[in-house]
Amino acid sequence: MDRENVAVTSYANIALIKYWGKADPTAMRPATSSISLTLEALTTDTEIAPLSKEATEDIFYLDGERQGQAETAKVSKVLDRFRRPEDGFCEVRSVNHMPTAAGLSSSSSGLSALVRAANQFYQCQWDTKRLAQEAKFASGSSARSLYGPVVAWDKDSGAIFPVKTNLKLAMIILVISDQKKAISSREGMKRCVETASNFSDWVTQSAKDYTAMQGYLAADDFEAVGRLTESNALAMHSTTRASQPPFSYLTSASQAAMDRVRALRASGERCYFTMDAGPNVKVLCLEEDLDRLSAIFAEDYQVIASKTKELS
């Protein structure tokens, strides 16, 4: 069957309750349940086009640059979940509208875009529930980008599903660094699982946080959501320092940004921080405060301000 070009846009998500660690890497069962926000301002555009019958491999371009064998193999592995042997090879072009591999969840938007594009390109017609389960094998966090605005991934049932809340949440990204991080999320996660002396404590506390966060969201208690968002992020990052050898994604500039958020909150602003596997600090706020807080942070930082994205 002749294939036509397919182009999609997908959205990154930032977790309030973190996915950090794999209990079963083969089955992609996470060590911790997670809850995230899907953000409309952090996007990836991905296009898939067929190659000639003579092609012997896929071709992958990221942000206009052809990628090497290792990165292309990751893309091919995802495509192989959708295509049949007779379908042949294709060219994939992705553009991240955010820094890549800098702890801004470009993998969640990039790989969810690839999954959605492959579903259309190969005419699989899988529904969102099935696609989310497929996406987790591309990148755990990308599975949550199939839903929005608030999404959960339950470690016990494996279910990925929308979380109900009346809160209109938003996020401000403080770009501390747009450079590729030295230790990838996958590598850092693996080291923490295998060597962090406090990893079991992290898993135990995270389970409590996951249950509590669902309650706070259902009750529309923004202050409780914010406080738990901060404590869960700090607990996640404590596992990196307890690993062997120890490491940290956070820099002195990250710490200063967190202090800035704390100071603004002490002055009466409604804002809370969180950080993923990278130095950049994300500020959780309400949509009604987004413009004002963005202007305040823009005096000292490069900012990306985003509302959450509603996805069916």
Side-chain angles (χ1 to χ4, degrees), residues 75-287:
V75 167
S76 297
K77 187 175 180 180
V78 175
L79 297 176
D80 286 342
R81 301 187 70 87
F82 295 85
R83 65 180 162 193
R84 301 164 301 179
E86 63 268 26
D87 283 327
F89 297 99
C90 61
E91 178 178 293
V92 176
R93 290 183 175 269
S94 289
V95 177
N96 286 329
H97 298 287
M98 73 196 88
T100 300
L104 293 178
S105 201
S106 60
S107 64
S108 69
S109 57
L111 289 164
S112 61
L114 180 62
V115 164
R116 291 179 55 230
N119 186 48
Q120 293 183 35
F121 186 75
Y122 295 111
Q123 300 177 11
C124 296
Q125 298 182 335
W126 294 342
D127 62 15
T128 302
K129 184 177 179 180
R130 169 74 183 274
L131 287 180
Q133 292 299 324
E134 294 295 328
K136 71 183 182 183
F137 291 99
S139 159
S141 62
S142 72
R144 297 187 308 246
S145 285
L146 274 296
Y147 294 96
V150 187
V151 191
W153 180 13
D154 189 276
K155 70 180 181 65
D156 295 322
S157 68
I160 300 157
F161 56 92
V163 175
K164 292 182 180 180
T165 182
N166 292 318
L167 292 173
K168 296 296 184 183
L169 300 170
M171 200 161 269
I172 304 165
I173 315 299
L174 308 184
V175 183
I176 307 297
S177 172
D178 60 3
Q179 300 302 302
K180 184 176 181 178
K181 56 200 177 195
I183 300 174
S184 71
S185 300
R186 184 168 299 184
E187 179 186 350
M189 194 180 294
K190 185 173 185 291
R191 187 187 301 182
C192 290
V193 170
E194 294 176 352
T195 70
S197 59
N198 61 354
F199 194 79
S200 62
D201 293 338
W202 151 249
V203 170
T204 299
Q205 183 59 50
S206 183
K208 297 175 183 176
D209 292 351
Y210 173 68
T211 299
M213 184 62 85
Q214 291 180 81
Y216 296 154
L217 287 165
D220 304 326
D221 188 341
F222 177 67
E223 287 71 23
V225 168
R227 289 194 300 270
L228 187 53
T229 294
E230 287 193 349
S231 65
N232 185 265
L234 292 171
M236 184 200 102
H237 282 276
S238 74
T239 67
T240 69
R241 297 188 296 274
S243 296
Q244 297 300 323
F247 67 102
S248 180
Y249 290 110
L250 305 179
T251 65
S252 58
S254 306
Q255 299 291 345
M258 287 185 277
D259 287 341
R260 178 72 169 130
V261 174
R262 291 186 181 105
L264 280 171
R265 190 165 66 244
S267 73
E269 296 289 356
R270 297 178 294 180
C271 55
Y272 298 86
F273 60 75
T274 187
M275 303 77 57
D276 293 293
N280 300 299
V281 173
K282 293 88 173 179
V283 182
L284 177 68
C285 64
L286 293 170
E287 190 176 300

Side-chain angles (χ1 to χ4, degrees), residues 58-76:
D58 296 315
I59 298 174
F60 176 43
Y61 287 86
L62 178 60
D63 296 333
E65 294 186 9
R66 183 167 178 174
Q67 300 298 292
Q69 194 171 37
E71 291 303 315
T72 303
K74 294 177 185 177
V75 167
S76 297

